[in-house]
């Protein structure tokens, strides 16, 4: 429930900002993906299982403001968040270098899943072109966006659930 | 014997992740039937409009000095008039070219009703980097329906693909899935302008026999009934022609800056011809 209370307002703002402001910023054909980076950052910073909930909520907003098939971005974001929460704490500990790497790999995974759904829905998809023209420059931008986003997510996570300390 | 037992937190995370993945696939399936989108879009549009207004205000103030406000307004007015006159000029040339091609009788008899327009503001761009749609702040409450053409005074923008009560989504002609039947204004040769992944436009299916020079104006042909004929799509920017090919290709330059679209016109009285019944017409017997 807490995940939803936090995710709905924050991701609503993120979706609106992405559509109204961030999509004006283009590097080659790539762009920032505010929602993806927010979901990845929260999945890493929260150390719990709220990431996929954020992915689901953020994906629904993103799909609503897109002309693509409903659910395509939702599936991509939930998948990325699910992979993070299943592996984080087991194979690695979240820290900022991991977050930076996750921004690049997350972009790649999200775009691959999204393009797969697009292809299944009958749209023309030229994978090599799309990955070169869109995914590669987007990875660079998302890489840059991740550092402030991860620090913000860590701060927010600490405010909500401060780390427990043993007294005495 | 020692058996691997996954920690309980992993079980919880796997369960939640699996549930949400299944839900996501459910959303895709339901989304194909048009569920969700309208209900979610309606409350988002006011926020979207507000954010866009803020963005446009900040952008305009950053890139245009405020003490030149009056001059800028005057310049905007003059630019609007120039664009209007240019558009009228193009339409007159199009009419003239048509007159040369078709017999005078047919031309005089042609019913060419005035188009009616609805002004709409662009309040958002597609969340996906792979798609080229824009969101407009007019929907079914204003009379907007699916398949209505969208233009500016500089030419064709796209087609309404979805309309909710207070918003609509427009597929831009630069999207990779867009294809517009066109003709060259000078030679009357017909082809198709398609969008590219890079957001550019390409003209296809023009015979190599046709002379196509840089700067040739391209207008909609009306074939297929998707768009009214005579709307400017762009001009030929460069031609790729090989003598052993059947068709030549050209890069097309639209006068519209699709990244800076702010206001568009929706053609509300265009009714696409019902071609579907004709497609099933049986072959005449001997």
């Amino acid at each position: 429930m807490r995940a939803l209370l936090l995710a709905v307002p924050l991701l609503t703002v993120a979706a609106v900002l992405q559509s109204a402001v961030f999509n004006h910023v283009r590097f080659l054909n790539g762009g920032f993906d505010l929602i993806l980076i927010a979901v990845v950052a929260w999945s890493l910073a929260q150390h719990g299982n709220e990431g996929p909930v954020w992915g689901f909520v953020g994906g629904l907003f993103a799909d609503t403001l897109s002309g693509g098939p409903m659910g395509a971005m939702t599936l991509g974001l939930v998948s990325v968040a699910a992979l993070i929460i299943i592996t984080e704490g087991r194979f690695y500990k979240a820290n900022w270098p991991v977050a930076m790497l996750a921004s690049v790999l997350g972009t790649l995974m999200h775009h691959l899943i999204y393009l797969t759904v697009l292809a299944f829905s009958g749209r023309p998809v030229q994978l090599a072109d799309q990955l070169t023209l869109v995914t590669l420059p987007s990875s660079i931008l998302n890489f840059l966006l991740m550092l402030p986003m991860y620090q913000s997510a860590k701060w927010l996570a600490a405010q909500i659930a401060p780390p427990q300390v043993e007294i005495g | 014997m020692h058996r691997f037992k996954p920690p309980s937190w992993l079980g919880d995370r796997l369960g939640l992740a699996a549930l949400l993945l299944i839900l996501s696939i459910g959303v895709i399936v339901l989304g194909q039937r048009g569920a969700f989108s309208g209900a979610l879009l309606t409350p988002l549009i006011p926020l979207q409009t507000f954010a866009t207004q803020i963005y446009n205000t900040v952008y305009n103030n950053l890139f245009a000095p405020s003490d030149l406000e009056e001059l800028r307004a005057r310049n905007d007015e003059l630019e609007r008039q120039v664009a209007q006159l240019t558009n009228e000029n193009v339409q007159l040339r199009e009419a003239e070219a048509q007159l040369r091609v078709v017999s005078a009788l047919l031309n005089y008899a042609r019913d060419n009703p005035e188009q009616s327009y609805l002004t709409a503001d662009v309040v958002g761009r597609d969340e996906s980097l792979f798609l080229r749609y824009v969101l407009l702040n007019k929907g079914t409450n204003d009379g907007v329906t699916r398949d209505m053409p969208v233009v500016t005074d500089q030419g064709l923008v796209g087609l309404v693909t979805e309309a909710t009560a207070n918003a609509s989504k427009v597929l831009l002609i630069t999207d990779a899935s867009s294809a517009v039947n066109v003709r060259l204004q000078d030679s009357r040769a017909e082809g198709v302008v398609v969008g590219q992944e890079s957001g550019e436009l390409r003209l296809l299916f023009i015979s190599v026999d046709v002379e196509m020079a840089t700067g040739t104006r391209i207008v909609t042909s009306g074939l297929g009934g998707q768009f009214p004929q005579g709307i400017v799509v762009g001009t030929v920017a460069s031609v790729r022609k090989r003598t052993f090919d059947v068709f030549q290709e050209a890069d097309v330059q639209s006068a519209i800056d699709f990244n800076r679209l702010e206001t568009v016109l929706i053609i509300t009285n265009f009714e696409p011809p019902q071609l579907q019944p004709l497609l099933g017409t049986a072959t005449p017997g001997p």
Side-chain angles (χ1 to χ4, degrees):
Chain A
M1 190 61 187
R2 191 192 68 176
L4 279 177
L5 285 176
L6 202 60
V8 170
L10 288 180
L11 292 171
T12 302
V13 172
V16 169
L17 283 177
Q18 175 75 41
S19 178
V21 180
F22 277 73
N23 277 354
H24 289 276
V25 184
R26 287 294 174 109
F27 170 53
L28 302 176
N29 280 290
F32 290 108
D33 195 332
L34 197 57
I35 295 179
L36 170 71
I37 294 305
V39 168
V40 171
W42 188 250
S43 302
L44 287 167
Q46 190 254 337
H47 300 294
N49 55 9
E50 291 183 6
V53 178
W54 275 52
F56 190 77
V57 174
L60 281 182
F61 286 136
D63 281 322
T64 302
L65 295 171
S66 168
M70 192 72 192
M73 282 198 245
T74 309
L75 184 64
L77 290 171
V78 169
S79 303
V80 170
L83 186 64
I84 290 172
I85 65 158
I86 289 167
T87 54
E88 197 273 326
R90 196 172 184 212
F91 299 113
Y92 57 86
K93 280 283 181 193
N95 50 41
W96 71 263
V98 165
M100 305 301 270
L101 183 65
S103 69
V104 175
L105 297 179
T107 303
L108 180 64
M109 182 179 172
H110 176 51
H111 284 191
L112 282 173
I113 292 170
Y114 186 72
L115 288 171
T116 305
V117 179
L118 279 190
F120 272 109
S121 68
R123 288 185 58 94
V125 172
Q126 294 180 350
L127 192 62
D129 285 353
Q130 304 279 33
L131 291 179
T132 312
L133 289 170
V134 180
T135 304
L136 189 62
S138 298
S139 301
I140 296 168
L141 292 179
N142 287 341
F143 183 84
L144 298 174
L145 184 61
M146 180 49 103
L147 192 57
M149 191 67 88
Y150 181 62
Q151 293 301 332
S152 306
K154 263 179 49 175
W155 175 83
L156 187 61
Q159 301 304 308
I160 293 168
Q164 292 181 350
V165 288
E166 206 167 306
I167 300 171
Chain B
M1 192 174 78
H2 175 72
R3 292 182 62 191
F4 171 72
K5 187 180 173 193
S8 61
W9 63 263
L10 181 61
D12 292 346
R13 291 183 182 189
L14 278 172
L16 181 69
L19 175 69
L20 287 167
L21 281 170
I22 291 166
L23 273 176
S24 303
I25 294 166
V27 169
I28 294 177
V29 174
L30 289 173
Q32 298 288 324
R33 299 175 189 173
F36 296 115
S37 183
L40 284 171
L41 192 56
T42 301
L44 281 178
I45 285 300
L47 280 173
Q48 191 75 41
T49 307
F50 176 71
T52 300
Q53 282 169 351
I54 298 283
Y55 172 81
N56 284 337
T57 306
V58 171
Y59 182 92
N60 289 333
N61 282 325
L62 280 178
F63 294 100
S66 57
D67 55 342
L68 296 177
E69 195 63 36
E70 194 179 333
L71 194 58
R72 193 160 61 86
R74 179 69 182 145
N75 190 44
D76 286 347
E77 173 64 18
L78 289 171
E79 277 187 357
R80 195 187 61 76
Q81 285 179 10
V82 168
Q84 193 175 353
L85 290 171
T86 307
N87 197 38
E88 277 177 16
N89 188 29
V90 169
Q91 285 180 348
L92 287 171
R93 286 186 61 190
E94 174 66 8
E96 186 191 4
Q98 284 173 348
L99 277 169
R100 280 204 306 270
V101 176
V102 203
S103 72
L105 184 62
L106 278 174
N107 265 321
Y108 278 112
R110 184 177 354 239
D111 182 14
N112 194 9
E114 285 293 312
Q115 289 162 349
S116 60
Y117 299 100
L118 175 70
T119 308
D121 291 331
V122 175
V123 293
R125 276 155 216 291
D126 202 293
E127 294 273 330
S128 167
L129 297 165
F130 298 103
L131 307 176
R132 294 175 196 279
Y133 286 78
V134 290
L135 291 171
L136 305 183
N137 66 344
K138 295 285 168 65
T140 51
N141 287 349
D142 307 287
V144 180
T145 58
R146 190 186 154 94
D147 292 334
M148 283 183 172
V150 179
V151 298
T152 69
D153 51 2
Q154 294 177 311
L156 184 64
V157 171
L159 196 67
V160 175
T161 57
E162 190 181 336
T164 61
N166 60 353
S168 48
K169 291 178 186 171
V170 175
L171 175 70
L172 300 179
I173 59 171
T174 50
D175 187 90
S177 67
S178 165
V180 182
N181 289 310
V182 296
R183 72 165 55 104
L184 303 178
Q185 197 167 42
D186 297 339
S187 65
R188 319 304 292 163
E190 287 171 349
V192 179
V193 166
V194 295
Q196 302 291 299
E197 279 83 11
S198 58
E200 291 158 354
L201 294 169
R202 185 162 296 164
L203 174 61
L204 306 175
F205 306 125
I206 297 288
S207 167
V208 285
D209 301 331
V210 174
E211 279 301 320
M212 187 163 53
T214 304
T216 303
R217 200 176 290 272
I218 300 164
V219 297
T220 53
S221 67
L223 282 178
Q226 201 177 18
F227 297 102
Q229 57 179 300
I231 300 174
V232 179
V233 175
T235 54
V236 172
S238 63
V239 181
R240 276 183 299 284
K241 185 177 187 176
R242 293 179 296 189
T243 48
F244 53 85
D245 279 343
V246 179
F247 298 115
Q248 55 186 319
E249 290 182 8
D251 289 327
V252 177
Q253 180 69 53
S254 171
I256 299 170
D257 181 357
F258 288 94
N259 293 320
R260 288 293 307 154
L261 272 178
E262 287 183 20
T263 306
V264 295
L265 299 169
I266 304 170
I267 300 177
T268 53
N269 65 340
F270 174 67
E271 291 185 12
Q274 296 296 317
L275 300 176
Q276 199 61 34
L278 301 174
L279 299 177
T281 306
T283 311

